[in-house]
Amino acid sequence: TGVVLVEQPFFIFHNNLGDQLPNELIGCIPALVVCVLFAVTLTISRMLREEVHPSIMLMGHLLAQFVISSMLCPVFDLWKLPESPQKVLRLTGGAFTFALGFYFIFLSLSQEKLKIVSGLLTSEILFTRIAELLFTGLTWDWYAMLGSILITVGCIGISLMERDDDIEHSGNTATDTERGKLISP
């Protein structure tokens, strides 16, 4: 229900978005690829939790992003920064929040099960909607906001229920050794 309210498909809401369908698919295909790549990233990060500190994981990911960007920029002739200081500040702020966000993802994966972390990460849809409203001037859409809230509450609820089930069956989710690694690299 939440996804339908957020996306408002033209065949249900009878809006004019049906004319934009090919353009939307072009944007959706890379987003789906990102979902698969992100799932692989989370899985590998969880597997490495006992051997690699979250700070080292972040450094490795940022280095890989730098190498990939360095190869793509010449291909697409993108070696120019935004001209406005405000846009440079946004670019820099976005980069820092991205890095900090990934650090916290790696930190949570070092302590919690993958299914719980990935479930909680789906609450991003609500926070993205709020950020769009605050920073981009997006118009308020009650259906989309309600859908975002339903998705977030549902995913957090499922994650918490799974966590409670895991705790009941195994005692706890992180050993004392794993918790100690978080404090000292």
Side-chain angles (χ1 to χ4, degrees):
T1 304
V3 174
V4 171
L5 291 173
V6 170
E7 291 302 318
Q8 298 178 13
F10 69 94
F11 55 87
I12 294 174
F13 284 82
H14 304 291
N15 53 26
N16 293 331
L17 294 179
D19 301 334
Q20 300 173 2
L21 193 57
N23 292 334
E24 287 182 357
L25 287 178
I26 291 171
C28 289
I29 291 170
L32 290 173
V33 171
V34 168
C35 289
V36 172
L37 296 174
F38 191 61
V40 171
T41 299
L42 293 178
T43 304
I44 291 171
S45 299
R46 177 67 180 157
M47 290 168 43
L48 294 173
R49 75 185 182 278
E50 293 181 15
E51 301 165 25
V52 183
H53 191 271
S55 300
I56 302 300
M57 282 190 210
L58 178 64
M59 189 171 59
H61 281 77
L62 294 176
L63 179 62
Q65 289 172 3
F66 174 77
V67 170
I68 291 169
S69 295
S70 297
M71 291 186 299
L72 291 176
C73 283
V75 169
F76 295 109
D77 191 29
L78 299 173
W79 287 110
K80 53 187 169 208
L81 286 174
E83 294 177 13
S84 140
Q86 183 182 21
K87 289 182 181 178
V88 171
L89 186 62
R90 285 181 187 165
L91 176 66
T92 307
F96 277 106
T97 57
F98 177 83
L100 191 60
F102 259 89
Y103 177 75
F104 281 114
I105 288 171
F106 297 143
L107 189 64
S108 63
L109 286 169
S110 71
Q111 298 296 305
E112 192 57 77
K113 292 187 178 194
L114 178 59
K115 64 183 178 181
I116 308 259
V117 173
S118 63
L120 292 173
L121 287 173
T122 58
S123 63
E124 173 187 6
I125 190 167
L126 176 63
F127 299 114
T128 301
R129 177 65 57 181
I130 292 169
E132 281 182 326
L133 288 169
L134 294 175
F135 301 120
T136 67
L138 181 73
T139 58
W140 185 267
D141 181 352
W142 285 102
Y143 289 119
M145 189 55 77
L146 178 61
S148 299
I149 291 169
L150 289 173
I151 292 169
T152 301
V153 169
C155 292
I156 289 175
I158 289 170
S159 294
L160 293 176
M161 285 190 313
E162 287 186 14
R163 188 173 197 298
D164 288 344
D165 288 346
D166 288 344
I167 289 172
E168 286 177 14
H169 292 106
S170 66
N172 63 24
T173 57
T175 65
D176 290 338
T177 304
E178 289 172 329
R179 285 190 195 100
K181 280 191 162 197
L182 192 63
I183 297 169
S184 61

